[in-house]
Amino acid sequence: SGTRAVAVRADVSREDDVENATNQVLQDLGQIDILVNNAGHNIRKPLIDFSLAEFDSLHEVHVRGTFLFCRAVGRTMQAQRRGTIINIASVLGHIAAKNVAPYAAAKAAIVQLTKVLALEFAEHGIRVNSIAPGPFYTNIADGRLKKAPEVGKLFSDMVPLGRIGNPDEIKGLMRGTILEIRSSQPRRATAVLREHLAGENVGLFGDRVHVVTLHPEEAARRSETILAGAGLPIQSIRPIEPTLED
């Protein structure tokens, strides 16, 4: 697809690893527009059977890891005056279930951390949101569901649609809508929108400006107003379907 990727190995619970990973990405790619905090694992058993090390391992990855990356990447996003942070929480951060006390507590902490950061980072043009999935087929869940089909039925019965979710169904929440904008001066239009379209992610793809947004109608109106004020009327603007190549 022509998209450049950089892989950096890091332990999300270690401050030095997180700072080094952030700096490496900035060095190789120049900027960070989107941060997704998705590292995690789970241990299922009654609370009284948990060791302190097991409890700590869950909170080090989920809570400390999310905090460290939000802090490290948040600094560069504040300097850019734009960015999007997506923290992966869980429905267990909102409701209770047996045998997942440390995991549920960690996910609840992520939910509250997200709310606080959304308030703190908004003035810098940074959006902070969390996604709290229910039961989905994932690498972690698949093994358990194959070993215990009755668990899958239990999860399915809890969902109004009567089934476990497919990861593709959450892709739209992660990526948002792409607005494709055509302008006679796409490079200047990109620069103007990056400066003034706070809270959205703006990029130049060939001769077209792309705005990734969770609020396409509002973003389209704001883009038209901003570019018209800069003497850059829009030739066309339309939402396009995100693909893995975008």
Side-chain angles (χ1 to χ4, degrees):
S1 67
T3 300
R4 192 161 167 248
V6 175
V8 182
R9 184 173 182 175
D11 179 343
V12 300
S13 69
R14 295 177 59 88
E15 184 176 19
D16 288 347
D17 277 16
V18 171
E19 295 291 338
N20 290 337
T22 302
N23 291 335
Q24 185 65 54
V25 172
L26 289 172
Q27 179 180 328
D28 290 347
L29 300 181
Q31 65 185 44
I32 299 176
D33 296 309
I34 302 174
L35 167 66
V36 180
N37 284 305
N38 191 39
H41 69 111
N42 195 5
I43 302 172
R44 295 175 178 270
K45 55 185 173 181
L47 177 66
I48 60 173
D49 294 334
F50 270 91
S51 68
L52 180 59
E54 289 172 329
F55 178 91
D56 285 345
S57 73
L58 286 163
H59 281 252
E60 285 171 358
V61 172
H62 291 281
V63 185
R64 185 191 295 180
T66 300
F67 158 73
L68 288 174
F69 264 108
C70 283
R71 186 182 65 175
V73 177
R75 294 190 187 109
T76 188
M77 286 184 172
Q78 287 188 8
Q80 295 170 178
R81 298 291 301 174
R82 68 181 183 278
T84 297
I85 297 175
I86 302 171
N87 296 325
I88 305 302
S90 167
V91 67
L92 292 174
H94 299 274
I95 66 172
K98 292 181 178 180
N99 300 328
V100 289
Y103 177 85
K107 290 300 189 180
I110 290 174
V111 170
Q112 193 62 17
L113 177 64
T114 300
K115 293 178 180 179
V116 172
L117 292 183
L119 295 176
E120 290 187 8
F121 287 5
E123 64 186 85
H124 302 286
I126 303 167
R127 295 195 316 254
V128 187
N129 291 282
S130 67
I131 298 175
F136 274 78
Y137 287 112
T138 65
N139 292 336
I140 294 176
D142 285 354
R144 183 166 183 247
L145 294 174
K146 289 177 181 177
K147 291 179 181 178
E150 68 278 5
V151 175
K153 184 178 185 308
L154 177 64
F155 285 155
S156 296
D157 291 343
M158 294 170 59
V159 179
L161 290 176
R163 62 176 177 81
I164 296 173
N166 186 300
D168 286 343
E169 296 176 280
I170 209 166
K171 182 177 69 173
L173 294 176
M174 292 284 291
R175 301 176 68 85
T177 297
I178 296 178
L179 293 178
E180 182 183 83
I181 300 174
R182 289 178 177 269
S183 169
S184 58
Q185 300 182 54
R187 290 187 179 276
R188 186 179 167 207
T190 301
V192 169
L193 288 176
R194 280 180 170 172
E195 178 70 21
H196 298 287
L197 192 62
E200 309 292 2
N201 291 287
V202 182
L204 180 63
F205 292 82
D207 61 350
R208 303 170 189 178
V209 183
H210 283 186
V211 177
V212 183
T213 176
L214 294 178
H215 308 283
E217 293 183 1
E218 178 186 349
R221 288 194 298 269
R222 290 168 59 202
S223 297
E224 290 177 347
T225 300
I226 291 168
L227 293 178
L232 295 166
I234 291 176
Q235 296 173 339
S236 68
I237 182 169
R238 67 186 182 99
I240 61 175
E241 183 68 23
T243 68
L244 293 176
E245 286 74 34
D246 287 329

